[in-house]
Amino acid sequence: MHLISPAFDHGAPIPPEHTCDGSNVSPELRWDDVPEGTQSLALIADDPDAPRGTWVHWVLYDLPADAQGLPARIPAGKTIAGGGTHGRNDFPELGYGGPCPPGGIHRYFFRLYALDRTLELEAGATKDRLLAAMQGHVLATAELMGTYRRR
């Protein structure tokens, strides 16, 4: 599986539009080569460079297996158009919360998981709850990393 964004390349800076210094909207994401047998997809975006440990920016699950991406500017809420459920980020809110590091360059990892089942978790599940539910059901993963430094 491959995960890309038209907004930024792997290892490149995330545009301010997708951060707390801009509109704080989710970037467009695209993927391909989802393995056969996939029943749903899940996405986690987090910052391992946060001062108090990994900071979770986005948790999304039960995306349709035939989805090929997500548009930019997905609104917060329990579910998203076309299928999918938002979990709770560390702000703590449902939906996307963009990069807003207190200092220095931080890395932001977007990880996509192909799963052999739908999880049917209620909206608002945390990253830890999602990871526990996915255990033993991950068929493939893909990763995209962007960076951000506040000016």
Side-chain angles (χ1 to χ4, degrees):
M1 243 179 7
H2 304 97
L3 177 62
I4 63 166
S5 176
F8 62 95
D9 291 330
H10 183 79
I14 296 170
E17 173 187 13
H18 305 292
T19 74
C20 68
D21 294 321
S23 301
N24 205 21
V25 295
S26 61
E28 179 181 351
L29 298 173
R30 297 178 190 163
W31 54 80
D32 61 14
D33 292 336
V34 173
E36 266 188 59
T38 298
Q39 297 298 307
S40 72
L41 299 160
L43 178 78
I44 297 171
D46 58 23
D47 169 10
D49 303 318
R52 291 187 220 135
T54 300
W55 187 267
V56 179
H57 287 266
W58 203 7
V59 177
L60 193 54
Y61 41 91
D62 287 344
L63 294 163
D66 61 354
Q68 296 179 327
L70 294 168
R73 302 178 172 269
I74 292 184
K78 291 183 178 183
T79 59
I80 65 169
T85 304
H86 268 133
R88 187 165 307 282
N89 59 39
D90 282 342
F91 287 103
E93 300 170 349
L94 294 179
Y96 176 81
C100 196
I105 295 176
H106 285 229
R107 297 167 299 150
Y108 298 87
F109 290 87
F110 293 76
R111 292 183 183 94
L112 182 70
Y113 301 86
L115 307 173
D116 66 2
R117 60 176 283 212
T118 55
L119 301 175
E120 299 176 6
L121 295 170
E122 291 184 18
T126 63
K127 172 187 169 181
D128 288 343
R129 178 123 189 258
L130 175 59
L131 290 173
M134 292 188 324
Q135 193 165 6
H137 298 286
V138 177
L139 299 174
T141 61
E143 182 176 274
L144 172 66
M145 188 272 292
T147 62
Y148 191 68
R149 170 189 285 217
R150 296 187 78 190
R151 302 281 175 214

